[in-house]
Structures are given as C-alpha cells and as structure tokens.
C-alpha cells in the first residue's frame, strides 16, 4: 500500500494536486520523529502546466526523508532507560529517564517520604509537594524533558538547596533545651520547635499558684493553663521566634513573681 496518494483534478478551470494519506501510522510516526513536511490528508496544491512530475518527485523525497527520520526515532526509542541518583544528606533521590515521543524523555524524580519530613518545605522543583504522586515509601514527580543532562543539572541544583535546608533543620533540632526555675516553683523549658525559626517555651506551674492568682485577679491567671498528668501542676506552651523570647519571658516572669510574692487569704466568698 502506498503511503500517500496524489490525485490531479480540475476545479473551476484550475488544476490541483489533492493528497490522500493511506498510511496514517506512517504520518503519525513522522510527526513523533519531528518530521513535519509530509502533506496532510486532504491537502490541495494548485498546479501549473508541467508541475505533475515535480510534485511527485518532491513527495517521494519527503517520504524518503520521513523514513530516515522515523528510523532515527525508532533507534532513539530503543535506547536504554537510565536512572541517576543523588545523595541528599543520606536520602537517596532517583531521577529516571525513559525515551519518549519527539526525541524527548519521560523524567521521573523520586524522593523518600522521610526526606520530605525533614525538608520542612512546601514545594520542590516548582511544584507543591502535595501535588507529587505518593507511592509506598516515596513521592514522585513525572514530566517530559528535551535534554536529560540539562534537567539533571537542574535537579542537582534543587537538591543542593534541599540539602542545605535539611542541614539547617538538623542543626536547629540538635540544640539543647534550656531550663529555668522561676519563683513560685515555676519550671520553664525553651527548646527548638518543629522547624526554624520557632522555639517552644513550656511553662509548668503549681496549680495552687495559678488558683491564687485567679482568686486575687492577677494577670498570670488570664493566660490559658492546661492540666498535666500531675493533678498538682498545670502547663502552658508558647511558640516564639528567637527575637521574641527575651521580652516574652521577662513579661511572664514578672507576672509569676507578682503571684508568688503576694500573700492573700480568702476571708469571704459569695455566689449570686
């Protein structure tokens, strides 16, 4: 079967060559092989006297060129898939390349879920991590690229940024907690929070101290204190940036000192 058929017609006193594609698969392969000079089904070209042989010769040349392009394309498709790995602070990141249409590659980047947990970033490679495909132990991002070396360099650069962030988070979390004891037997602990730049300040106070502050209408009792496993103690946790710690602790410490130093006795109580 011929790949493309040419019919010469006359229409309104003019001569035309009309092309009919007999082998649609051949045209499709040529398109995927980035060859775009083949006529499409139904294309029509006006002819001048003596153009018939020229049109046929040009078509044969284009078919031959398309066959060569398809041969190169089929060879490209037979090239083996490739997986490259990047070590990101002990996490193995895999970049898999598979030959695809138009001499492009399907590129799949896979990162361990544990790396996402350490990263503390919402996005990677310009895509929200929530949009990455979730697999058993990994998150994957798939797309197609023209140049796998250029794309791998882009992934490497992004993973270098990710490694710097992970090291920053690890250093942050490795800080030792700082503990203080305030008047009234109030225990204070300052520790790194879930991610930089936040710290968690935890206050544990005797329930009796907070009840005394509440009875006396002191400001310490206006904060939200929560029960602990010990019925005699209550606790409160604040999330603070480093530059907020000193002022916030100084303010609360003054309230604690006021409550601890005051001597009060309930002499009467009424309910209305």
């Amino acid at each position: 079967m011929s790949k493309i058929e040419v019919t010469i017609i006359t229409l309104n006193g003019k001569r035309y060559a009309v092309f009919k594609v007999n082998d649609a698969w051949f045209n499709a392969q040529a398109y995927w092989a980035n060859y775009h000079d083949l006529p499409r089904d139904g294309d029509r070209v006006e002819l001048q006297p003596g153009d018939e042989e020229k049109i046929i010769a040009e078509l044969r040349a284009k078919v031959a060129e398309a066959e060569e392009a398809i041969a190169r394309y089929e060879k490209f498709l037979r090239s083996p898939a490739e997986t490259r790995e990047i070590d990101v602070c002990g996490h193995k990141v895999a970049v898999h390349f598979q030959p695809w249409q138009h001499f492009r590659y399907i590129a799949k980047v896979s990162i361990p879920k544990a790396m996402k947990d350490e990263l503390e970033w919402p996005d990677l490679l310009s895509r929200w991590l929530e949009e990455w495909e979730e697999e058993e132990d990994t998150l994957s991002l798939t797309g197609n690229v023209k140049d796998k070396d250029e794309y791998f360099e882009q992934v490497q650069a992004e993973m270098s940024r990710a490694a710097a962030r992970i090291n920053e988070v690890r250093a942050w979390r490795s800080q030792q907690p700082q503990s203080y004891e305030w008047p009234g037997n109030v225990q204070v602990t300052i520790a790194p929070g879930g991610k930089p730049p936040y710290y968690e300040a935890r206050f544990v106070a005797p329930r009796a101290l907070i009840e005394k502050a509440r009875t006396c209408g002191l400001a310490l009792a206006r904060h939200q204190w929560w029960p602990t496993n010990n019925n005699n103690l209550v606790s409160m946790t604040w999330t603070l940036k480093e530059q907020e710690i000193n002022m916030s602790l100084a303010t609360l410490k003054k309230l604690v000192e006021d409550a601890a130093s005051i001597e009060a006795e309930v002499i009467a109580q009424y309910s209305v």
Side-chain angles (χ1 to χ4, degrees):
M1 181 180 69
S2 64
K3 296 178 173 65
I4 300 175
E5 183 179 306
V6 182
T7 302
I8 308 301
I9 67 168
T10 59
L11 182 65
N12 297 327
K14 295 182 179 181
R15 291 164 59 84
Y16 295 93
V18 180
F19 299 93
K20 181 178 184 296
V21 174
N22 291 329
D23 191 344
W25 176 245
F26 177 77
N27 272 37
Q29 284 185 304
Y31 175 76
W32 295 331
N34 290 342
Y35 188 83
H36 306 299
D37 286 343
L38 289 177
R40 297 170 299 178
D41 194 51
D43 279 356
R44 188 177 70 185
V45 177
E46 184 177 351
L47 298 177
Q48 300 300 322
D51 279 353
E52 288 86 347
E53 291 185 4
K54 178 182 177 183
I55 287 292
I56 298 302
E58 289 178 350
L59 179 59
R60 285 175 177 163
K62 289 178 180 180
V63 168
E65 290 172 354
E67 288 173 338
E68 291 177 3
I70 291 171
R72 291 193 299 270
Y73 174 59
E74 289 176 340
K75 181 180 179 180
F76 168 77
L77 289 180
R78 290 192 298 270
S79 60
E82 180 185 2
T83 299
R84 305 181 188 182
E85 294 183 351
I86 305 171
D87 183 272
V88 182
C89 300
H91 299 293
K92 185 176 74 173
V93 174
V95 186
H96 184 75
F97 295 101
Q98 180 79 32
W100 192 59
Q101 298 171 358
H102 303 289
F103 292 96
R104 297 177 70 86
Y105 296 89
I106 294 293
K108 180 179 180 181
V109 181
S110 299
I111 67 169
K113 288 182 179 178
M115 177 178 160
K116 176 197 172 186
D117 296 338
E118 274 205 285
L119 189 56
E120 295 289 356
W121 263 355
D123 67 291
L124 201 60
L125 290 171
S126 302
R127 289 286 296 275
W128 298 110
L129 283 169
E130 298 302 326
E131 297 175 354
W132 287 46
E133 182 180 353
E134 186 170 350
E135 300 175 357
E136 185 175 352
D137 296 315
T138 62
L139 296 172
S140 298
L141 179 66
T142 304
N144 69 83
V145 300
K146 181 178 181 180
D147 188 319
K148 60 182 180 180
D149 292 329
E150 181 180 296
Y151 182 70
F152 187 68
E153 288 179 3
Q154 178 186 342
V155 175
Q156 283 181 310
E158 186 79 350
M159 293 308 157
S160 294
R161 292 177 56 240
R165 174 62 175 179
I166 288 173
N167 286 328
E168 179 188 358
V169 172
R170 286 180 178 178
W172 175 268
R173 291 176 175 170
S174 68
Q175 296 178 83
Q176 293 299 313
Q178 301 176 45
S179 298
Y180 309 94
E181 183 171 343
W182 287 354
N185 200 25
V186 174
Q187 306 298 319
V188 182
T189 303
I190 310 297
K195 58 182 178 180
Y198 296 99
Y199 288 87
E200 285 190 356
R202 187 168 188 263
F203 310 93
V204 179
R207 182 184 295 272
L209 177 67
I210 305 305
E211 291 296 337
K212 180 175 71 169
R214 184 172 292 111
T215 300
C216 297
L218 300 179
L220 181 64
R222 299 193 189 109
H223 292 279
Q224 185 68 59
W225 295 87
W226 299 93
T228 68
N229 293 332
N230 186 333
N231 288 333
N232 295 320
L233 300 174
V234 291
S235 70
M236 176 173 63
T237 301
W238 289 353
T239 299
L240 302 169
K241 291 184 177 180
E242 185 172 7
Q243 60 268 31
E244 299 171 336
I245 292 176
N246 290 339
M247 181 175 292
S248 297
L249 263 61
T251 300
L252 187 66
K253 185 177 182 181
K254 180 64 169 60
L255 301 183
V256 168
E257 290 172 341
D258 290 345
S261 62
I262 195 171
E263 294 185 6
E265 179 182 356
V266 177
I267 59 175
Q269 191 171 38
Y270 303 93
S271 297
V272 180

